[in-house]
Amino acid sequence: MVKGNGIKLLHVIAHSAGLDALCGDIGNAYVNAYTTEKVYAIARLEFGEENIGRIVIIRKTLYGLGTSCTQFHDHLSDTLCSLDFLPTQFDRDIWIHLGADGKSYEYICTQVDNFYIFSKHSKLVMEQIQSIYTLKSVGQPDYYLSNNYKHNAKG
């Protein structure tokens, strides 16, 4: 879980470096990861008449399981690593990546299934994430992690 001070610090960095900011919310996030818990259910009619009474093994994380948040965090971390982002020492939920120009950095901060991108090419980074996950909402935030945002002509 990214710290509130980390978000504020990223805004200062983004403003001074001229970075764009976009945020997003991953839809049905938990079912992207696998669970380490041993979970099963007894099949009912929704699994088909031929399967009623059979044991169904749950392999994906589900909302409400004790380790789902951790399992999804690990899955999202692996995804960000595959995009060449590295977690910072300041906050393990703030990720950094050297931009394509070799001079500027791109940042992503994560809060469970919400994320915030700070980059000169934030739309491109968003498209990379969107190619992996289904996103519920994308754009400039009005509110993010206890911070209210107001936009004016200067941004």
Side-chain angles (χ1 to χ4, degrees):
M1 217 180 283
V2 67
K3 300 172 188 135
N5 288 340
I7 297 287
K8 292 172 186 171
L9 182 60
L10 283 175
H11 278 286
V12 171
I13 292 169
H15 181 72
S16 66
L19 304 179
D20 295 327
L22 280 177
C23 69
D25 184 4
I26 298 171
N28 298 317
Y30 286 0
V31 297
N32 287 288
Y34 289 92
T35 185
T36 56
E37 295 182 60
K38 295 183 186 230
V39 182
Y40 73 94
I42 306 292
R44 295 180 12 174
L45 185 57
E46 57 267 15
F47 287 92
E49 283 190 34
E50 67 279 3
N51 293 318
I52 292 176
R54 290 188 175 178
I55 294 176
V56 179
I57 305 295
I58 309 296
R59 296 182 54 213
K60 295 281 191 149
T61 58
L62 300 172
Y63 290 88
L65 293 179
T67 62
S68 293
C69 187
T70 301
Q71 297 300 322
F72 179 70
H73 183 273
D74 292 347
H75 177 76
L76 183 57
S77 295
D78 290 344
T79 299
L80 293 175
C81 285
S82 75
L83 298 174
D84 295 326
F85 280 86
L86 298 171
T88 63
Q89 292 179 3
F90 169 72
D91 187 327
R92 303 298 288 169
D93 289 313
I94 295 178
W95 297 76
I96 189 168
H97 169 74
L98 185 61
D101 62 6
K103 297 177 184 176
S104 63
Y105 286 94
E106 299 174 320
Y107 305 89
I108 297 178
C109 64
T110 61
Q111 168 78 15
V112 188
D113 59 351
N114 298 302
F115 60 92
Y116 211 146
I117 300 167
F118 298 89
S119 169
K120 289 190 177 182
H121 308 286
S122 57
K123 288 181 183 177
L124 182 61
V125 176
M126 184 66 77
E127 288 171 4
Q128 290 177 309
I129 294 171
Q130 206 161 17
S131 72
I132 300 165
Y133 298 108
T134 300
L135 302 182
K136 289 194 296 192
S137 61
V138 172
Q140 293 285 335
D142 294 323
Y143 180 84
Y144 188 80
L145 300 181
S146 302
N147 295 301
N148 289 318
Y149 296 96
K150 294 183 181 181
H151 307 280
N152 61 24
K154 294 181 181 180

